[in-house]
Amino acid sequence: SVSEAISPTNHSVNVAARGPNNSLRFYWQVGGTWYGPLGLGGANTTYSAPSIAAESNGNFDIAVEGPGNSMYFYWDAAGTWYGPLQVAATGSTLSTPALDVDTDGHLALVVEGPSNTLYHYWNISGTWYGPLGIGGPSSTFSAPSISVQSCSGDCSAQAFAVGPNHDMRQWQRDSSGNWSGPREWSSDQQAFSSPSSYNAQAVFEGANHSLATSSSSGVALTNIGTGG
């Protein structure tokens, strides 16, 4: 899998991908012309699909599962890439990370941790914090997703992951930084892939190889792709 982010400053398309020999590669498109690959991580640095996020100033950030189930982080400042920086210990990272930038310009990251937990990490002014266990053992059975929700009130971030009975689950971080959940975003046997999310809406593979979406706990799924 690849991950894509659009620059808010020049609208360039920026793509991160796992390359040969577990490397990390970066491609970018400016004015309709593609460039790359640029090797950001050498052999044996990258053991998952990457997650890339764009900052409001046009810089980019990438997180990947590193060797030994660690987590590696790369960052771009004015076109120059740095890293890898190990932000999570060996044995802590059991999925592709999910990365987003919150409304204060801070980085928010979630990943499946050991024993099917959900771990949260965050970066403020260049310093990483975590892990904070926001989902206990046997709560998380897929790579998660995270998105910032733009609204008034206590709804600054949403995280989603598949639960123990193939249900989609949601966690919410309020404006004070406190996490709550999980909430069941679907019934059992309705979620069969990692989710992709925006605000409070999750999209995922549903029953019978359908494409399903849900935007609220307890609300029936909308099938946007039929079975098969």
Side-chain angles (χ1 to χ4, degrees):
S1 297
V2 301
S3 183
E4 177 187 82
I6 307 299
S7 170
T9 56
N10 67 0
H11 309 295
S12 63
V13 182
N14 298 264
V15 175
R18 183 180 178 181
N21 302 313
N22 301 310
S23 61
L24 178 63
R25 291 189 169 183
F26 177 70
Y27 303 79
W28 64 105
Q29 185 206 65
V30 180
T33 299
W34 280 97
Y35 301 89
L38 175 65
L40 300 184
N44 302 317
T45 62
T46 306
Y47 290 86
S48 74
S51 180
I52 186 172
E55 299 183 29
S56 60
N57 59 9
N59 294 333
F60 294 90
D61 304 287
I62 299 173
V64 300
E65 181 184 346
N69 301 114
S70 63
M71 184 155 51
Y72 278 3
F73 176 70
Y74 302 79
W75 65 104
D76 155 61
T80 299
W81 281 97
Y82 301 89
L85 172 69
Q86 184 174 331
V87 300
T90 299
S92 67
T93 304
L94 280 300
S95 76
T96 297
L99 179 67
D100 204 357
V101 184
D102 70 17
T103 51
D104 294 321
H106 303 150
L107 298 177
L109 190 155
V110 289
V111 68
E112 182 185 349
S115 301
N116 303 106
T117 54
L118 184 61
Y119 279 2
H120 171 56
Y121 300 82
W122 63 103
N123 182 294
I124 299 175
S125 301
T127 300
W128 281 98
Y129 301 89
L132 174 67
I134 62 175
S138 300
S139 68
T140 305
F141 288 82
S142 74
S145 66
I146 189 169
S147 61
V148 172
Q149 186 174 8
S150 300
C151 65
S152 59
D154 295 343
C155 49
S156 63
Q158 308 276 338
F160 295 88
V162 175
N165 298 308
H166 287 289
D167 56 327
M168 185 54 58
R169 294 194 168 190
Q170 178 256 18
W171 291 259
Q172 181 171 298
R173 189 190 71 184
D174 65 27
S175 58
S176 298
N178 300 311
W179 285 93
S180 60
R183 301 172 184 86
E184 292 198 10
W185 229 240
S186 79
S187 301
D188 292 352
Q189 305 302 316
Q190 293 292 319
F192 292 89
S193 77
S194 299
S196 181
S197 63
Y198 180 73
N199 286 347
Q201 184 166 348
V203 180
F204 48 92
E205 182 187 350
N208 301 314
H209 302 290
S210 61
L211 186 62
T213 182
S214 180
S215 59
S216 181
S217 177
V219 174
L221 295 183
T222 300
N223 285 328
I224 55 178
T226 58

